[in-house]
Amino acid sequence: MPAPERTTLPEIVRAGREILEDGGPSSLTMQAVASRVGVRAPSLYKRVQDREALLALIADATVSEMSVRMASAEGIADLARTYRAFAHEQPEGFRLTMTFAASTEALARASQPIITAVGDLVGPGEALEGARLVTAWVNGFATMELAGAFRLGGDIEDAFEFGLKRIIAALTSPVSDSQDRHSEPDR
């Protein structure tokens, strides 16, 4: 008769996410996860191949949660604020999503709301490019903010809203026929 299962893969991933947020990447060990879910470390290997596989599962779970939040946001401004708020609530998970640990499929699901919202502004032909612009800006802002890089004074909320308004304005302003989308910007 097989031994009763003492933990599940979702419990392992949830414990890994908690450990990651509590202590950063160096605290995420198979032993720490095993202790959190109440089993011995070798038991985890029945469910998860190794730490790298665990990181991939955690990244996908984090991206999935972010996807759910993004799906309920309306418009680019709300999406950007939701993305930034998520980065503040789960900074380690947010950082992990920007690595190769997250699957392409999970990232594609998370990207869909922003691609759709940007596509509503710029049209489907430039939706992906516009979504990359918005995502790169919000990601860069949040990453710098989490790292404490904004030390020159001023209000960070005002700076975020300023940048967000400018990004939206750039997306909604028409590009003249003389401006080729692949030409170098004016200097």
Side-chain angles (χ1 to χ4, degrees), residues 25-105:
S26 64
S27 69
L28 183 64
T29 65
M30 297 299 270
Q31 180 61 49
V33 174
S35 293
R36 177 82 54 112
V37 297
V39 300
R40 293 185 330 191
S43 298
L44 288 185
Y45 293 99
K46 295 175 185 175
R47 304 255 187 285
V48 181
Q49 182 178 356
D50 55 23
R51 184 176 184 273
E52 291 304 312
L54 179 59
L55 283 168
L57 291 167
I58 291 169
D60 280 0
T62 303
V63 171
S64 292
E65 182 181 339
M66 187 169 43
S67 296
V68 169
R69 292 189 193 188
M70 299 283 283
S72 64
E74 295 182 19
I76 293 172
D78 195 25
L79 284 162
R81 291 181 191 114
T82 299
Y83 187 82
R84 179 176 173 231
F86 186 85
H88 280 271
E89 291 167 21
Q90 298 183 40
E92 296 299 335
F94 168 75
R95 288 180 186 103
L96 184 61
T97 66
M98 297 299 130
T99 69
F100 287 107
S103 72
T104 303
E105 296 81 18

Side-chain angles (χ1 to χ4, degrees), residues 126-148:
E126 294 183 322
L128 181 59
E129 291 85 352
R132 285 178 172 157
L133 169 68
V134 173
T135 303
W137 177 78
V138 176
N139 182 59
F141 193 99
T143 299
M144 290 179 70
E145 189 175 21
L146 291 171

Side-chain angles (χ1 to χ4, degrees), residues 137 141 150 153-165:
W137 177 78
F141 193 99
F150 296 131
D155 186 287
I156 302 300
E157 291 299 320
D158 289 346
F160 183 82
E161 292 300 322
F162 173 87
L164 184 55
K165 286 177 191 173

